[in-house]
Structures are given as structure tokens and as C-alpha cells.
Amino acid sequence: MQNHRRLRRQCCNERRMWAVEQNEVVFTDESRICLQHHDGWIRVWIHREERMLNSCVMHRHTRPAPGIMVWGGIGHHSRTPLVRIAGTLNNQRYISKLLKPVLLPYLQSLATAIFQQDNARTHVACIAQRFFFNHQIELLT
């Protein structure tokens, strides 16, 4: 934890005077949209004697909820198209469905760009890192 904080502080200090370059950063991420119900936790406070009252019981959907996964990116003055991800996003599909057809043309349309993504396994896989290196995509680390 201490090392993480030190590295985060070092990164922030290096970019303290980063006024112009921040306009060149492109952020991407994926998100799941649940189509049927709220798929998070709902906290309810009840008294002990109310536990089994029908008015205090909430039935919930326990099967996998239908939903879609989408991916997109934003820059300072523009954005990528929103892409629907069908199925599971693995290393190969990340490159073939998102990076090559969507991200690469988007980054090439910008004069200069620094690419920022989270540390999901598909993003940091060797094959993805090789793609970034081969296409000379600068990564924000």
C-alpha cells in the first residue's frame, strides 16, 4: 500500500505542470448496462422483529440479468464511437474488435495523443502491450 501511494504521488508530481498535455490524453473504459433491474446491493435497515414481515421482504432476481457491455473513449475535444461488446472480452477480441478498428483510427486522427486505460487483464496483456509498441501508441503510465 505504501509503495502504491509513493508511486501515485511520484506520478502526480511529474505531471504537476501538465496544462497543455492533459488535452492530449484519451481515456477509455468498458461498462456493463443492466437491462432488467438494479444489479448492485441495496441496504435496508429494519428492526429485528420486522425481519419476516412481508412488507419488509424484497424478492430479488437471482439469475444472470440481461445486459450489454459497451466500450468507449473520450478525449478533450472528441470521443470514440460507443462499441457494444458481445460475449467475453479477451486479449484477442480487445485488439481485433476495439483497438484496431476503433481506437487506432481515432488516435491517428489526433495530432498528438496519450492513451490511458485501466489495468484490466486484457489491457495489460503482453499481446496488447506489443500492439501499442508496434503502432507507436504512447501510454499514460
Side-chain angles (χ1 to χ4, degrees):
M1 187 70 162
Q2 287 290 38
N3 190 39
H4 176 74
R5 286 182 186 157
R6 184 185 58 76
L7 292 173
R8 179 71 66 173
R9 187 175 297 123
Q10 178 184 346
C11 179
C12 291
N13 286 335
E14 290 170 0
R15 290 168 177 82
R16 187 182 313 202
M17 306 305 281
W18 207 42
V20 175
E21 290 175 339
Q22 70 185 4
N23 294 342
E24 301 170 353
V25 178
V26 174
F27 299 93
T28 64
D29 206 358
E30 54 277 332
S31 183
R32 183 173 188 281
I33 300 168
C34 185
L35 299 176
Q36 192 171 42
H37 63 84
H38 185 277
D39 59 353
W41 288 89
I42 300 172
R43 292 194 177 269
V44 178
W45 297 99
I46 58 173
H47 296 286
R48 184 173 297 225
E49 61 273 3
E50 295 176 328
R51 245 192 257 181
M52 301 311 276
L53 293 176
N54 279 338
S55 59
C56 296
V57 174
M58 181 165 53
H59 299 283
R60 61 185 185 111
H61 183 81
T62 56
R63 290 177 282 139
I68 61 171
M69 183 73 84
V70 294
W71 176 92
I74 59 169
H76 189 259
H77 295 294
S78 59
R79 64 184 183 275
T80 68
L82 192 63
V83 179
R84 182 174 184 261
I85 302 169
T88 304
L89 186 63
N90 61 24
N91 304 337
Q92 292 291 337
R93 294 184 75 212
Y94 180 56
I95 293 171
S96 66
K97 303 289 185 191
L98 301 175
L99 296 182
K100 278 184 184 175
V102 183
L103 183 72
L104 197 56
Y106 175 73
L107 292 177
Q108 290 170 344
S109 72
L110 302 173
T112 57
I114 302 169
F115 182 54
Q116 158 68 51
Q117 61 184 356
D118 60 17
N119 285 331
R121 284 184 180 200
T122 54
H123 301 171
V124 297
C126 291
I127 190 169
Q129 296 303 314
R130 195 174 319 118
F131 176 87
F132 298 133
F133 179 79
N134 291 342
H135 290 88
Q136 299 174 347
I137 296 173
E138 184 180 352
L139 298 174
L140 180 64
T141 56

